[in-house]
Amino acid sequence: MKTARRLARSGLAVAILSATLFNAQDANAANWFALQGISPPTAPLFGISGFIEPTVWAQPGVEDNLLHEVPHINLIGPDFSQNTTAGILRARIMFRGNLNPEISYFVAGEFGDNGVTRVRGGYQPALIDGHVTFSYLPGARVEVGLIRAPSAEGAMQGFMTYNFVLSSTVINQLMNQPMFNSAYLNKDTPAGYLIPGTQNLGANGYRYPGAMVFDWFRNGPWEFAYGAMLGMYGTVAAGNQSNEPMEAVRLQEAYILGGKGPFRSDIQGGIWYQHAAPRWDGVNYDMNRYGADLQYLQGYMHPWGRQLRFEYIHGNGWIDAPAAFSKAADLAAPLYQTQLYPGISNRAWGYMAEAGLFLTKNIEVNLRYDYYNRLPNNPAQNRIFKTYALGVQYHFTPLTKVMAGYYFRTLGVPHPNPTSESVSRSVDNVFALQAMIAF
């Protein structure tokens, strides 16, 4: 009990554990809608917490054989200037609490160097969460503000459950969509646009301003949860770009095997759908994303604890192909500018499968296969990304750990030309090491 009370005072992540892992009064609060939407019932008026993620990347940075340039896929984002580097990938400070038993709030700032904090090519700390939740209505809690939109389970996870340093390609490219300056226009073909890096307004980290209705219902070991959101598609960090509508919904069912909180043991399945209408060149385009996921989690931080996850994601309309190279005056323009294909006929899809096993209470090993097929409708731009990831983690506490991963990557080009074939052959593997330190 003393441990639980000490943990509760430290805010977001630690308050979650105090309420769910140690002495929870409400076991129904063990899902991402609950954990990220409301504060624990025992949380105080004001709590502060945070985490930092020092990270080291190492990859060869191989040049392609034709143009003798190092492509982006062999460089470290978000600035793509080096192939071996160290930095703070994420650094977040979070404030949350209960104004009264029915009203809770959550505000978080991001100070790490990543896609969220890179706006127009420069570093800019960002507000990554900021919402208030009202729990007056039975069966329909209402969350208003900057919200993690309901979607794929992998996009809704909290930081404490990350298993790899490098995100899944299919989740990152289809769901963590970069925003672009709609005032900039440089038409490439009737189907697409070229956008230089200076017009990239950063990514939202799966968050959008808006309102969401959500709740969860428990019947014995069964738990049903839903979330439906109406918001604005765009980026808050870049100012006036949040001006187009978006809708999102997720339904999920879980069979709870035991435990509580973000590390509970359960079998869970979900389906979801997102639609947005970003405006470009005076036209609102449809942007659709949908998918399904299934996971089995049992015995977190227990010997032989295990997890299995599978996610399928499909998208059509508004598919972007990031630049192959950073900059070079003698290269053709498409190679160093993002190519945006907004039409509804453009498609991409993929899936990821992941397994994890605790060898001891502290040591966990992980395996992931990630497949992403981008623009199969466009032979010239069709690319297939495949990654096998091997990981090992040492958990000091449920929230603080060190993880290392090795990523075997290939890039397939079904309809190659000399340049694309040269780039695909240069793709190399990545080693990444990260500490996740919570306070």
Side-chain angles (χ1 to χ4, degrees):
M1 289 296 296
K2 290 182 180 179
T3 300
R5 286 195 292 268
R6 286 197 302 270
L7 290 168
R9 285 194 292 266
S10 64
L12 167 66
V14 188
I16 289 173
L17 286 182
S18 69
T20 56
L21 288 180
F22 294 98
N23 192 32
Q25 297 178 356
D26 182 6
N28 294 347
N31 61 64
W32 293 121
F33 286 117
L35 295 173
Q36 296 175 143
I38 65 171
S39 299
T42 56
L45 174 64
F46 176 80
I48 181 172
S49 64
F51 64 93
I52 60 173
E53 295 180 7
T55 309
V56 175
W57 296 268
Q59 60 190 89
V62 177
E63 294 183 355
D64 75 288
N65 293 326
L66 184 65
L67 299 173
H68 304 292
E69 297 282 343
V70 179
H72 273 180
I73 199 167
N74 284 346
L75 295 171
I76 306 298
D79 59 356
F80 301 103
S81 62
Q82 301 178 70
N83 59 286
T84 300
T85 187
I88 304 297
L89 180 61
R90 299 180 188 92
R92 204 165 297 174
I93 187 167
M94 302 171 284
F95 308 92
R96 86 180 305 166
N98 290 324
L99 301 181
N100 63 39
E102 285 76 36
I103 304 177
S104 57
Y105 69 91
F106 178 34
V107 178
E110 173 61 73
F111 297 89
D113 192 6
N114 53 59
V116 174
T117 57
R118 285 285 176 158
V119 178
R120 296 186 177 93
Y123 171 78
Q124 178 179 308
L127 176 71
I128 196 166
D129 288 288
H131 55 77
V132 178
T133 302
F134 303 90
S135 301
Y136 288 100
L137 300 177
R141 303 171 190 266
V142 179
E143 186 175 325
V144 180
L146 184 57
I147 301 167
R148 188 188 289 257
S151 67
E153 199 275 339
M156 296 187 69
Q157 291 176 10
F159 75 92
M160 67 286 288
T161 58
Y162 294 168
N163 294 320
F164 290 95
V165 182
L166 272 61
S167 300
S168 160
T169 302
V170 62
I171 293 175
N172 193 52
Q173 288 209 32
L174 275 180
M175 302 309 302
N176 198 18
Q177 176 67 49
M179 307 295 166
F180 304 110
N181 185 0
S182 59
Y184 176 86
L185 296 176
N186 182 7
K187 200 153 190 173
D188 176 26
T189 70
Y193 294 83
L194 299 177
I195 307 171
T198 55
Q199 304 303 319
N200 189 324
L201 304 180
N204 268 22
Y206 316 109
R207 279 93 162 166
Y208 299 91
M212 181 171 69
V213 178
F214 71 99
D215 215 334
W216 60 96
F217 309 92
R218 182 78 176 268
N219 182 13
W222 293 96
E223 177 190 82
F224 170 74
Y226 79 93
M229 178 179 176
L230 178 63
M232 305 300 288
Y233 179 83
T235 170
V236 173
N240 63 352
Q241 300 297 318
S242 302
N243 56 6
E244 306 299 337
M246 65 88 64
E247 308 87 37
V249 62
R250 177 178 169 88
L251 306 175
Q252 65 186 41
E253 184 75 22
Y255 185 85
I256 301 173
L257 301 171
K260 304 176 179 72
F263 314 112
R264 78 180 183 188
S265 297
D266 68 7
I267 301 172
Q268 178 180 288
I271 57 174
W272 57 272
Y273 173 75
Q274 281 190 3
H275 170 263
R279 190 170 184 82
W280 192 265
D281 199 8
V283 177
N284 283 85
Y285 290 92
D286 286 313
M287 174 180 171
N288 299 309
R289 303 288 189 266
Y290 58 86
D293 47 69
L294 180 67
Q295 65 174 5
Y296 162 62
L297 306 172
Q298 188 163 26
Y300 185 82
M301 283 194 74
H302 290 279
W304 310 117
R306 50 210 176 269
Q307 61 174 288
L308 296 171
R309 301 178 190 266
F310 176 81
E311 298 210 31
Y312 170 83
I313 300 176
H314 187 279
N316 65 297
W318 203 264
I319 306 296
D320 72 283
F325 298 94
S326 292
K327 58 181 178 179
D330 58 334
L331 295 181
L335 296 175
Y336 60 93
Q337 299 188 59
T338 293
Q339 298 178 66
L340 173 65
Y341 296 88
I344 195 64
S345 63
N346 295 293
R347 305 189 312 276
W349 66 278
Y351 61 91
M352 59 83 70
E354 182 179 326
L357 179 67
F358 277 91
L359 302 180
T360 70
K361 175 184 176 181
N362 304 101
I363 300 173
E364 181 183 7
V365 293
N366 302 90
L367 172 67
R368 183 179 73 196
Y369 176 69
D370 184 42
Y371 176 95
Y372 177 52
N373 189 340
R374 188 182 72 199
L375 292 167
N377 60 286
N378 185 333
Q381 279 295 321
N382 189 201
R383 303 289 186 271
I384 298 175
F385 300 81
K386 299 178 183 179
T387 304
Y388 287 95
L390 300 176
V392 60
Q393 306 180 70
Y394 188 90
H395 301 258
F396 295 94
T397 73
L399 295 178
T400 296
K401 61 184 180 180
V402 174
M403 54 185 176
Y406 194 82
Y407 304 82
F408 301 87
R409 306 181 303 164
T410 63
L411 174 60
V413 185
H415 307 279
N417 58 49
T419 301
S420 63
E421 191 171 38
S422 178
V423 171
S424 67
R425 287 178 176 175
S426 74
V427 173
D428 218 318
N429 303 329
V430 182
F431 171 77
L433 177 68
Q434 183 179 85
M436 187 173 291
I437 305 168
F439 60 89

